[in-house]
Amino acid sequence: MQEKIIILDFGSQTTQLIGRRVRELNVYCEIVPYNKFPEEDSGVRGVILSGSPFSVYDEKAFKIDLSLLRGKYPVLGICYGAQFMAFSGGGRVEPAGSREYGRAHLTHIDQADPLFQGISQGTQVWMSHGDTITEVPATFKPIASTDKVRIAAYQVEGERLWGVQFHPEVYHTEEGTELLKNFVVDICGCKQDWNAASFIETTVASLKERLGNDKVVLGLSGGVDSSVCAMLLNRAIGKNLTCIFVDHGMLRKNEFHEVMHHYESMGLNVIGVDASARFFADLAGVVEPEKKRKIIGKNFIDVFDEEAGKIKDVKWLAQGTIYPDCIESLSITGTTIKSHHNVGGLPEKMKLKLCEPLRLLFKDEVRRVGRELGMPEHLITRHPFPGPGLAVRILGDITPQKVAVLQEADDIFIQGLRGWKVTEPDGTETALYHKVWQAGVILLPVQSVGVMGDERTYERAVALRAVTSTDAMTADWAHLPYEFLAKVSNDIINKVKGVNRVCYDISSKPPSTIEWE
Ligand code: XMP
């Protein structure tokens, strides 16, 4: 049985971060809605209660029966989690005079307490709460304060129960990782043996058992998630996995052939389908972004369904869904930020069972698993690329000619990023490509006047887009060097017929988005 920490999600923005921090300690954890504690799971070693957008007094506040946990597992309550436990035990929680937000320093730390082993007096923590605990029940012992908050942390005598009002998972809490380590390793006794290799071993074994001799199909996109998913399944069931890679005609320059080559060299059983003609036919004259997406999604499903139909006795559809996708769809407060359903509807239409072996991994973990499986670095470190491809980067209607122009411009930008080296503080060199989360070129529906030699030109403008981000939920425009931008602009205008102007997009997300459509 896999040992694990359960994180009960009371709806905080930082619940996922708690999960990441625990996983970074090589301890496996799962985030589950606050009311879905898996009582039957004998692998549970400890429980963390997250923060929440609610106050304990809110009518809608999420509440649980703590007797499910108390006395059975070590428990750490964070922010609302701490307030809820104190309040439920008869303590007092009151609105703080002013919302306690930002950096603070811990004083009066009880360093003999196992949660604070090795944590320095005065250490910086991050506070973000509107209520504060003003009185704790008799057995709750304060074990740290700040200048504004007397009970910044507590421990319950005779029990393995702790609460902290600050956020150890947030980067600004300087010794947050140590504190979480004290909890999950020293208090809960987790062994820190969860890593890419152990994930592969247990997942391959369970896939073998679950799938037996069944046949599975999987749609490849060229991206990291679907590729790693295919590699894992390939290791588990070999030729019983058939991968389908659909070329909708709006991939990057040469991408279809290059990626097919990679897939074949990785030993995957893959069928490449050039379906570009039917995508272009259906997209002709369509301008509205959502309509374009729908047409692409529908055609993709049809092509995939037709191809999969040629394989006998398929029982399963595999998908490279990853953890943030699942957590968003589980979102308990209903504040889902955005979801992209490129292949939504496929499992229902095909009447297949779903297999999602990466559904509990974060993106960086997927990359580590890919490396461990021997996937080429080029595939692992590729920037994310939207399912509808260049279609959402051509503003206005789509034609094969416009795609060809954009492919050329995009290729110059991307190759430029790969070739431009920046020197790191330790003297090593990194390609600029790896310094940005995602980059691409947008073809604008704008023509402007230019001059080339003695000729007046009246041609298109393109925008370069490059952003830094950690999860695509928020993003900042990348501060690329002027010399680099000058070179790319020159190269595009000189080499790409039909483009005479290059702009750089300096908008962040929010309020803009990464893609223009
Ligand atoms: P936005 O434009 O919403 O994009 O800031 C966030 C991330 O999602 C990608 N993206 C998509 N991916 N299908 C996808 O598979 C889509 O329809 C789609 N739209 C945006 C985008 O490239 C970025 O990484």
Side-chain angles (χ1 to χ4, degrees), residues 92 119 125-126 175 205 256 286 294 296 337 354 373 378 402 405 429 441 478 496:
R92 194 179 308 161
I119 308 262
V125 294
W126 185 258
E175 293 174 87
F256 185 65
V286 179
K294 291 228 164 73
I296 294 170
I337 317 266
L354 254 192
L373 286 164
H378 192 78
K402 286 186 189 171
V405 169
E429 291 201 323
V441 179
V496 184

Side-chain angles (χ1 to χ4, degrees), residues 47-50 74-87 106 113 115-116 127 133 136-137 139-145 149-157 159-168 179-180 183 187:
V47 183
I48 297 178
L49 312 188
S50 82
V75 178
L76 172 65
I78 294 177
C79 195
Y80 173 90
Q83 291 165 359
F84 175 71
M85 289 197 294
F87 181 69
L106 287 189
D113 189 283
L115 191 67
F116 282 112
M127 288 286 189
I133 303 170
V136 278
T139 53
F140 286 46
K141 191 170 54 126
I143 52 172
S145 313
V149 182
R150 188 172 60 88
I151 308 157
Y154 62 74
Q155 197 276 325
V156 180
E157 275 166 352
E159 286 191 54
R160 293 189 301 164
L161 205 74
W162 287 261
V164 294
Q165 289 210 87
F166 55 89
H167 287 270
L179 185 141
L180 287 172
F183 182 69
I187 296 173

